[in-house]
Amino acid sequence: MISTTTDANLYITFGIIGLFLAGMIAVLYATNRESTSFSDYAVGGRSYGPWYIAMCYTNSWWPGSTFTAFFALTIGGVLGFYGMVYATLGVTAMYLMARRAWTWGQRFNLRTQPDLLGMRFNSPAVKRVASIIGIISVFPWVVMGIQALAMLFQFASFGRWGVTTCLLAGVGVVLVRQYWTVSMGMRGLIMTDMFQGLIAYVLCAALCVFLLFGDQASFSNLAHLPAKMLLVPGDSGTGYGPLYMFSLIFTGVIGSMCWPMSFQRIYTASGVRAVKKGTLYTILLVGGFYGILMLFAAAISQDPNVLANPQQGWFLSLFDIGGPWLLALAIVIVLAASIGHVDGCVQVCGTQFANDLATWNTPRTDRQLTLLAKSGMVVFIVAASILAYLTFDYSRLQLLAQISYQGIIQLAVPLFFGIFSRRGNKEGAIAGMLAGIVVAIVLTTMYPDDIPGLGSLTSGIVGLVVNAVIFVACALAIKPSPAESARVQNLFDIAAPGRKVPMGAAPVMN
Amino acid sequence: MKTETAPPGRLKSQLFGVYFFLLLMLALFPPLYLSVSASTVLVLGIPLPIFYWIAIAVLAGLGLWALYLAELAAGELPDEGEEQ
């Protein structure tokens, strides 16, 4: 932890944080608008252009831990760069599914990813299982996001504030921010994502490029990295089998569209072209920002302070280079990324609660759905804040996060088969997801990182294989009725290139 | 009746399908990514094991831009807002 004897430094760090929060609130007030319907509240009325889609996706994709955990991975070696590959290839999947996902969303008034799964397999049960998996998987990341905010306040106070004070400050910032997420829904989220994204990703990338031209983190340092940093995990001496990188990248690629907050960005777009163009901008943002940040991490990796504390390397290196001013900037960049990610999680979980789960027994009016979504968000963020406080030093929380990642990718089987293939049925979707998630949970508790006996495959991949086998077996064993075949055929027909999409259709199911 | 040559749309899908499949192989097939491990060769001042991952990401981005332009030229992407 960085310490200081000068009180003025605290004014600098907290002053910059205050400016950032004031700017964020100003954006919210300037763009505040009453929602006219639940779709308006949940997906911003399907009205946003490519840059908004891109920035919103990037906020939901790179959390604050990018600057701690991923930064530390690159301090240790080339492993950190895998994030650039899976992020860009994952976004490619969004491009490829854009036409059907958006068109079906418009045609059937879909608002969430489980909504699409339920419609595609004509099953409310598929929708609800997918929704529950999504909400449970997102929860640990919100808890860790709040805890990460507490760490920011430790840095901002130069270690003078105790853990409890920092945690309360982190929780306070999140709760205050969520007032607008709850009241404004997706519109507030998208507008602040633009503001936060400009700071967290654009400003950060520009700063890193500038620093790479300097002395301490010079680009030329990359030519002199130690040999052990250049080992790809899976090579001899790395302690991993050859399938470790495969598992990480494959999980990341298919996982990109499984996270409900990432997928929901498709429904905020004004059209198929907006989604596709937004995908191109997203690649620039997620890949460009991350690649530049990791090059900076590799360039500064041999700094003794950073080597000793790789998780804090981002803050330590910027303080070493530019004193309290650059440290303040480092903190605000991470704060912007953290808040953007937590906001996205809270918004989507509240929306899914109302849209997918609270309609279990009875259809709801738009007004009821909006109220339920707001209530769900409040309960979600309060529960996460309490848990963040209670589990601040609970190391097993990281394991829960790992399980959640291995669990969420189980949505990939019905999602990818459902969008790219006419085959499959609700029985296979439900049985596959449930079996896959059970296998993933059990194996992750036994092998939190990788499974040495399987060439370092990760548990989620094994679960995914089980999931896919069950899905395909059910597709082969249970023949669809002629009516179901015709329904699915019609779904694919209406999303064919050149077809006009009728508007104003009611949801296909509750 | 089947034609001798594939329609332009199908040819485009096949070309880009092969392109993205090759990129996926570069990212996922262990013999390929392990072949650059520990290499000290510099490409544009960046060690090869790092450049390898950056290149895949850049090629994915360029490929997607090309696909977008091809779809635009083929008239497959309606103007913004036309769907609404």
Short mmCIF file of all heavy atoms in Angstrom, two decimals, chain A residues 93-135:
data_model
loop_
_atom_site.label_atom_id
_atom_site.label_comp_id
_atom_site.label_asym_id
_atom_site.label_seq_id
_atom_site.Cartn_x
_atom_site.Cartn_y
_atom_site.Cartn_z
N ALA A 93 -18.68 -13.50 -32.11
CA ALA A 93 -19.89 -14.31 -31.96
C ALA A 93 -21.13 -13.43 -31.89
O ALA A 93 -22.18 -13.76 -32.44
CB ALA A 93 -19.79 -15.18 -30.70
N MET A 94 -20.99 -12.27 -31.24
CA MET A 94 -22.12 -11.33 -31.15
C MET A 94 -22.50 -10.85 -32.55
O MET A 94 -23.68 -10.72 -32.88
CB MET A 94 -21.74 -10.15 -30.27
CG MET A 94 -22.78 -9.04 -30.19
SD MET A 94 -22.43 -7.97 -28.78
CE MET A 94 -22.93 -6.38 -29.38
N TYR A 95 -21.49 -10.58 -33.36
CA TYR A 95 -21.75 -10.13 -34.74
C TYR A 95 -22.53 -11.21 -35.49
O TYR A 95 -23.52 -10.93 -36.18
CB TYR A 95 -20.42 -9.84 -35.44
CG TYR A 95 -20.58 -9.27 -36.83
CD1 TYR A 95 -20.48 -7.90 -37.06
CD2 TYR A 95 -20.84 -10.10 -37.93
CE1 TYR A 95 -20.62 -7.36 -38.32
CE2 TYR A 95 -21.00 -9.57 -39.20
CZ TYR A 95 -20.89 -8.20 -39.39
OH TYR A 95 -21.04 -7.68 -40.65
N LEU A 96 -22.08 -12.45 -35.34
CA LEU A 96 -22.66 -13.53 -36.14
C LEU A 96 -24.11 -13.85 -35.72
O LEU A 96 -24.92 -14.29 -36.53
CB LEU A 96 -21.79 -14.79 -36.05
CG LEU A 96 -20.36 -14.61 -36.60
CD1 LEU A 96 -19.54 -15.87 -36.40
CD2 LEU A 96 -20.38 -14.23 -38.09
N MET A 97 -24.42 -13.62 -34.44
CA MET A 97 -25.79 -13.93 -34.00
C MET A 97 -26.69 -12.68 -34.02
O MET A 97 -27.87 -12.76 -33.69
CB MET A 97 -25.80 -14.58 -32.62
CG MET A 97 -25.29 -13.72 -31.49
SD MET A 97 -25.50 -14.50 -29.86
CE MET A 97 -24.60 -16.02 -29.98
N ALA A 98 -26.14 -11.55 -34.44
CA ALA A 98 -26.87 -10.28 -34.32
C ALA A 98 -28.21 -10.28 -35.05
O ALA A 98 -29.22 -9.86 -34.50
CB ALA A 98 -26.00 -9.13 -34.84
N ARG A 99 -28.22 -10.79 -36.30
CA ARG A 99 -29.43 -10.68 -37.09
C ARG A 99 -30.60 -11.42 -36.44
O ARG A 99 -31.68 -10.86 -36.24
CB ARG A 99 -29.21 -11.23 -38.50
CG ARG A 99 -30.45 -11.12 -39.39
CD ARG A 99 -30.19 -11.65 -40.78
NE ARG A 99 -29.14 -10.91 -41.46
CZ ARG A 99 -29.31 -9.71 -42.02
NH1 ARG A 99 -30.49 -9.14 -41.99
NH2 ARG A 99 -28.31 -9.09 -42.61
N ARG A 100 -30.36 -12.68 -36.09
CA ARG A 100 -31.48 -13.45 -35.51
C ARG A 100 -31.82 -12.94 -34.11
O ARG A 100 -33.01 -12.80 -33.78
CB ARG A 100 -31.12 -14.94 -35.46
CG ARG A 100 -31.22 -15.56 -36.85
CD ARG A 100 -30.77 -16.99 -36.90
NE ARG A 100 -30.69 -17.44 -38.29
CZ ARG A 100 -29.90 -18.39 -38.74
NH1 ARG A 100 -29.07 -19.02 -37.90
NH2 ARG A 100 -29.89 -18.72 -40.00
N ALA A 101 -30.81 -12.69 -33.30
CA ALA A 101 -31.09 -12.26 -31.92
C ALA A 101 -31.87 -10.94 -31.92
O ALA A 101 -32.87 -10.81 -31.20
CB ALA A 101 -29.79 -12.10 -31.15
N TRP A 102 -31.44 -9.97 -32.72
CA TRP A 102 -32.12 -8.67 -32.70
C TRP A 102 -33.51 -8.78 -33.33
O TRP A 102 -34.49 -8.23 -32.83
CB TRP A 102 -31.30 -7.60 -33.43
CG TRP A 102 -31.88 -6.23 -33.19
CD1 TRP A 102 -31.56 -5.37 -32.19
CD2 TRP A 102 -32.93 -5.58 -33.94
NE1 TRP A 102 -32.33 -4.23 -32.26
CE2 TRP A 102 -33.19 -4.33 -33.33
CE3 TRP A 102 -33.68 -5.94 -35.06
CZ2 TRP A 102 -34.15 -3.44 -33.80
CZ3 TRP A 102 -34.64 -5.06 -35.53
CH2 TRP A 102 -34.86 -3.81 -34.90
N THR A 103 -33.59 -9.48 -34.48
CA THR A 103 -34.87 -9.57 -35.18
C THR A 103 -35.91 -10.29 -34.32
O THR A 103 -37.06 -9.84 -34.21
CB THR A 103 -34.69 -10.32 -36.51
OG1 THR A 103 -33.65 -9.71 -37.25
CG2 THR A 103 -35.96 -10.30 -37.34
N TRP A 104 -35.52 -11.37 -33.70
CA TRP A 104 -36.46 -12.08 -32.81
C TRP A 104 -36.83 -11.18 -31.64
O TRP A 104 -37.97 -11.18 -31.17
CB TRP A 104 -35.85 -13.39 -32.30
CG TRP A 104 -35.67 -14.42 -33.38
CD1 TRP A 104 -36.24 -14.41 -34.61
CD2 TRP A 104 -34.86 -15.60 -33.32
NE1 TRP A 104 -35.84 -15.50 -35.33
CE2 TRP A 104 -35.00 -16.26 -34.57
CE3 TRP A 104 -34.03 -16.17 -32.36
CZ2 TRP A 104 -34.33 -17.46 -34.87
CZ3 TRP A 104 -33.37 -17.36 -32.64
CH2 TRP A 104 -33.52 -18.00 -33.89
N GLY A 105 -35.84 -10.45 -31.13
CA GLY A 105 -36.10 -9.54 -30.02
C GLY A 105 -37.15 -8.50 -30.39
O GLY A 105 -38.07 -8.23 -29.62
N GLN A 106 -37.01 -7.93 -31.57
CA GLN A 106 -37.97 -6.92 -32.04
C GLN A 106 -39.34 -7.54 -32.30
O GLN A 106 -40.38 -7.02 -31.92
CB GLN A 106 -37.43 -6.28 -33.32
CG GLN A 106 -38.40 -5.42 -34.09
CD GLN A 106 -38.63 -4.07 -33.42
OE1 GLN A 106 -38.19 -3.85 -32.29
NE2 GLN A 106 -39.31 -3.18 -34.10
N ARG A 107 -39.33 -8.70 -32.95
CA ARG A 107 -40.58 -9.35 -33.36
C ARG A 107 -41.41 -9.79 -32.15
O ARG A 107 -42.62 -9.66 -32.12
CB ARG A 107 -40.25 -10.55 -34.26
CG ARG A 107 -41.43 -11.42 -34.62
CD ARG A 107 -42.41 -10.67 -35.54
NE ARG A 107 -43.55 -11.51 -35.89
CZ ARG A 107 -44.61 -11.66 -35.13
NH1 ARG A 107 -44.70 -11.03 -33.97
NH2 ARG A 107 -45.60 -12.44 -35.53
N PHE A 108 -40.72 -10.35 -31.14
CA PHE A 108 -41.45 -10.92 -29.99
C PHE A 108 -41.30 -10.09 -28.72
O PHE A 108 -41.61 -10.57 -27.63
CB PHE A 108 -40.98 -12.36 -29.75
CG PHE A 108 -41.23 -13.26 -30.93
CD1 PHE A 108 -40.17 -13.74 -31.67
CD2 PHE A 108 -42.51 -13.60 -31.30
CE1 PHE A 108 -40.39 -14.57 -32.77
CE2 PHE A 108 -42.75 -14.42 -32.39
CZ PHE A 108 -41.69 -14.89 -33.14
N ASN A 109 -40.77 -8.87 -28.88
CA ASN A 109 -40.60 -7.99 -27.73
C ASN A 109 -39.77 -8.63 -26.63
O ASN A 109 -40.13 -8.57 -25.45
CB ASN A 109 -41.98 -7.57 -27.19
CG ASN A 109 -41.89 -6.30 -26.37
OD1 ASN A 109 -40.89 -5.58 -26.43
ND2 ASN A 109 -42.91 -6.02 -25.58
N LEU A 110 -38.67 -9.25 -27.01
CA LEU A 110 -37.79 -9.90 -26.02
C LEU A 110 -36.94 -8.83 -25.34
O LEU A 110 -36.51 -7.88 -25.97
CB LEU A 110 -36.87 -10.92 -26.70
CG LEU A 110 -37.54 -11.97 -27.59
CD1 LEU A 110 -36.50 -12.87 -28.24
CD2 LEU A 110 -38.52 -12.81 -26.79
N ARG A 111 -36.72 -9.03 -24.04
CA ARG A 111 -35.94 -8.03 -23.31
C ARG A 111 -34.70 -8.61 -22.65
O ARG A 111 -33.83 -7.86 -22.19
CB ARG A 111 -36.80 -7.41 -22.21
CG ARG A 111 -37.98 -6.60 -22.68
CD ARG A 111 -39.21 -7.08 -21.99
NE ARG A 111 -40.38 -6.28 -22.30
CZ ARG A 111 -41.60 -6.62 -21.92
NH1 ARG A 111 -41.80 -7.70 -21.18
NH2 ARG A 111 -42.64 -5.89 -22.26
N THR A 112 -34.64 -9.91 -22.52
CA THR A 112 -33.48 -10.52 -21.85
C THR A 112 -33.00 -11.73 -22.65
O THR A 112 -33.71 -12.23 -23.53
CB THR A 112 -33.86 -11.01 -20.43
OG1 THR A 112 -34.85 -12.05 -20.57
CG2 THR A 112 -34.41 -9.89 -19.58
N GLN A 113 -31.82 -12.18 -22.30
CA GLN A 113 -31.28 -13.38 -22.96
C GLN A 113 -32.14 -14.62 -22.67
O GLN A 113 -32.46 -15.39 -23.60
CB GLN A 113 -29.83 -13.57 -22.48
CG GLN A 113 -29.15 -14.83 -22.89
CD GLN A 113 -28.17 -15.25 -21.80
OE1 GLN A 113 -28.56 -15.42 -20.65
NE2 GLN A 113 -26.91 -15.36 -22.17
N PRO A 114 -32.55 -14.85 -21.39
CA PRO A 114 -33.44 -15.99 -21.15
C PRO A 114 -34.76 -15.90 -21.91
O PRO A 114 -35.36 -16.91 -22.28
CB PRO A 114 -33.68 -15.95 -19.63
CG PRO A 114 -32.50 -15.23 -19.09
CD PRO A 114 -32.15 -14.21 -20.13
N ASP A 115 -35.23 -14.67 -22.14
CA ASP A 115 -36.43 -14.45 -22.95
C ASP A 115 -36.26 -15.11 -24.32
O ASP A 115 -37.17 -15.78 -24.83
CB ASP A 115 -36.61 -12.94 -23.15
CG ASP A 115 -38.00 -12.48 -22.76
OD1 ASP A 115 -38.82 -13.31 -22.35
OD2 ASP A 115 -38.27 -11.26 -22.89
N LEU A 116 -35.10 -14.89 -24.92
CA LEU A 116 -34.83 -15.47 -26.24
C LEU A 116 -34.79 -16.99 -26.17
O LEU A 116 -35.38 -17.69 -27.02
CB LEU A 116 -33.51 -14.94 -26.80
CG LEU A 116 -33.12 -15.53 -28.16
CD1 LEU A 116 -32.60 -14.45 -29.10
CD2 LEU A 116 -32.07 -16.63 -28.04
N LEU A 117 -34.14 -17.52 -25.14
CA LEU A 117 -34.06 -18.98 -25.02
C LEU A 117 -35.45 -19.59 -24.84
O LEU A 117 -35.77 -20.62 -25.43
CB LEU A 117 -33.15 -19.37 -23.85
CG LEU A 117 -31.65 -19.09 -24.06
CD1 LEU A 117 -30.87 -19.33 -22.78
CD2 LEU A 117 -31.10 -19.97 -25.17
N GLY A 118 -36.26 -18.94 -24.00
CA GLY A 118 -37.62 -19.43 -23.78
C GLY A 118 -38.44 -19.42 -25.05
O GLY A 118 -39.17 -20.35 -25.35
N MET A 119 -38.30 -18.34 -25.83
CA MET A 119 -39.03 -18.23 -27.09
C MET A 119 -38.55 -19.27 -28.09
O MET A 119 -39.34 -19.95 -28.74
CB MET A 119 -38.84 -16.81 -27.64
CG MET A 119 -39.59 -16.48 -28.92
SD MET A 119 -38.80 -17.10 -30.41
CE MET A 119 -37.26 -16.22 -30.40
N ARG A 120 -37.23 -19.40 -28.21
CA ARG A 120 -36.66 -20.31 -29.21
C ARG A 120 -37.09 -21.77 -28.95
O ARG A 120 -37.38 -22.52 -29.89
CB ARG A 120 -35.13 -20.18 -29.21
CG ARG A 120 -34.35 -21.23 -29.99
CD ARG A 120 -34.67 -21.25 -31.46
NE ARG A 120 -33.94 -22.32 -32.12
CZ ARG A 120 -34.33 -23.57 -32.17
NH1 ARG A 120 -35.48 -23.93 -31.60
NH2 ARG A 120 -33.61 -24.50 -32.77
N PHE A 121 -37.09 -22.16 -27.67
CA PHE A 121 -37.45 -23.55 -27.35
C PHE A 121 -38.90 -23.67 -26.89
O PHE A 121 -39.31 -24.74 -26.41
CB PHE A 121 -36.49 -24.11 -26.29
CG PHE A 121 -35.07 -24.24 -26.80
CD1 PHE A 121 -34.11 -23.32 -26.47
CD2 PHE A 121 -34.73 -25.26 -27.67
CE1 PHE A 121 -32.82 -23.42 -26.97
CE2 PHE A 121 -33.45 -25.38 -28.19
CZ PHE A 121 -32.49 -24.45 -27.84
N ASN A 122 -39.64 -22.58 -27.03
CA ASN A 122 -41.06 -22.58 -26.71
C ASN A 122 -41.33 -23.13 -25.31
O ASN A 122 -42.19 -24.00 -25.12
CB ASN A 122 -41.82 -23.42 -27.76
CG ASN A 122 -43.29 -23.07 -27.78
OD1 ASN A 122 -43.68 -22.00 -27.33
ND2 ASN A 122 -44.10 -23.98 -28.28
N SER A 123 -40.55 -22.62 -24.35
CA SER A 123 -40.65 -23.20 -23.01
C SER A 123 -40.35 -22.15 -21.93
O SER A 123 -39.22 -21.67 -21.83
CB SER A 123 -39.65 -24.35 -22.88
OG SER A 123 -39.42 -24.66 -21.54
N PRO A 124 -41.35 -21.81 -21.11
CA PRO A 124 -41.08 -20.92 -19.98
C PRO A 124 -40.04 -21.52 -19.01
O PRO A 124 -39.29 -20.78 -18.37
CB PRO A 124 -42.44 -20.80 -19.29
CG PRO A 124 -43.44 -21.19 -20.31
CD PRO A 124 -42.76 -22.20 -21.19
N ALA A 125 -40.00 -22.86 -18.93
CA ALA A 125 -39.04 -23.49 -18.00
C ALA A 125 -37.60 -23.22 -18.44
O ALA A 125 -36.73 -22.95 -17.61
CB ALA A 125 -39.31 -25.00 -17.93
N VAL A 126 -37.35 -23.29 -19.74
CA VAL A 126 -36.00 -23.00 -20.25
C VAL A 126 -35.63 -21.57 -19.87
O VAL A 126 -34.53 -21.30 -19.40
CB VAL A 126 -35.94 -23.19 -21.78
CG1 VAL A 126 -34.63 -22.64 -22.34
CG2 VAL A 126 -36.09 -24.65 -22.15
N LYS A 127 -36.58 -20.66 -20.07
CA LYS A 127 -36.34 -19.25 -19.75
C LYS A 127 -35.98 -19.09 -18.27
O LYS A 127 -35.03 -18.40 -17.93
CB LYS A 127 -37.59 -18.44 -20.09
CG LYS A 127 -37.52 -16.98 -19.68
CD LYS A 127 -38.58 -16.15 -20.37
CE LYS A 127 -39.80 -15.93 -19.52
NZ LYS A 127 -40.70 -14.91 -20.10
N ARG A 128 -36.74 -19.75 -17.42
CA ARG A 128 -36.53 -19.56 -15.98
C ARG A 128 -35.24 -20.19 -15.49
O ARG A 128 -34.53 -19.63 -14.66
CB ARG A 128 -37.75 -20.07 -15.21
CG ARG A 128 -38.83 -19.01 -15.15
CD ARG A 128 -40.22 -19.51 -15.21
NE ARG A 128 -41.10 -18.44 -15.69
CZ ARG A 128 -42.32 -18.60 -16.11
NH1 ARG A 128 -42.85 -19.81 -16.14
NH2 ARG A 128 -43.03 -17.59 -16.53
N VAL A 129 -34.94 -21.38 -16.00
CA VAL A 129 -33.67 -22.03 -15.60
C VAL A 129 -32.50 -21.14 -16.03
O VAL A 129 -31.57 -20.89 -15.26
CB VAL A 129 -33.55 -23.44 -16.24
CG1 VAL A 129 -32.14 -23.99 -16.06
CG2 VAL A 129 -34.56 -24.39 -15.60
N ALA A 130 -32.54 -20.67 -17.28
CA ALA A 130 -31.45 -19.82 -17.78
C ALA A 130 -31.35 -18.53 -16.96
O ALA A 130 -30.24 -18.06 -16.65
CB ALA A 130 -31.67 -19.49 -19.25
N SER A 131 -32.47 -17.98 -16.60
CA SER A 131 -32.48 -16.73 -15.84
C SER A 131 -31.89 -16.92 -14.44
O SER A 131 -31.10 -16.09 -13.97
CB SER A 131 -33.91 -16.19 -15.74
OG SER A 131 -33.89 -14.87 -15.30
N ILE A 132 -32.28 -18.02 -13.80
CA ILE A 132 -31.76 -18.29 -12.46
C ILE A 132 -30.24 -18.51 -12.52
O ILE A 132 -29.49 -17.98 -11.69
CB ILE A 132 -32.48 -19.51 -11.84
CG1 ILE A 132 -33.93 -19.13 -11.52
CG2 ILE A 132 -31.77 -19.99 -10.59
CD1 ILE A 132 -34.83 -20.31 -11.18
N ILE A 133 -29.78 -19.28 -13.52
CA ILE A 133 -28.33 -19.50 -13.67
C ILE A 133 -27.63 -18.14 -13.86
O ILE A 133 -26.60 -17.87 -13.26
CB ILE A 133 -28.05 -20.43 -14.87
CG1 ILE A 133 -28.51 -21.86 -14.57
CG2 ILE A 133 -26.56 -20.43 -15.22
CD1 ILE A 133 -28.38 -22.82 -15.74
N GLY A 134 -28.22 -17.29 -14.69
CA GLY A 134 -27.61 -15.99 -14.96
C GLY A 134 -27.50 -15.14 -13.71
O GLY A 134 -26.44 -14.60 -13.39
N ILE A 135 -28.61 -15.02 -12.97
CA ILE A 135 -28.62 -14.14 -11.79
C ILE A 135 -27.64 -14.66 -10.73
O ILE A 135 -26.86 -13.89 -10.16
CB ILE A 135 -30.04 -14.04 -11.22
CG1 ILE A 135 -30.94 -13.27 -12.19
CG2 ILE A 135 -30.03 -13.34 -9.86
CD1 ILE A 135 -32.42 -13.27 -11.83
#
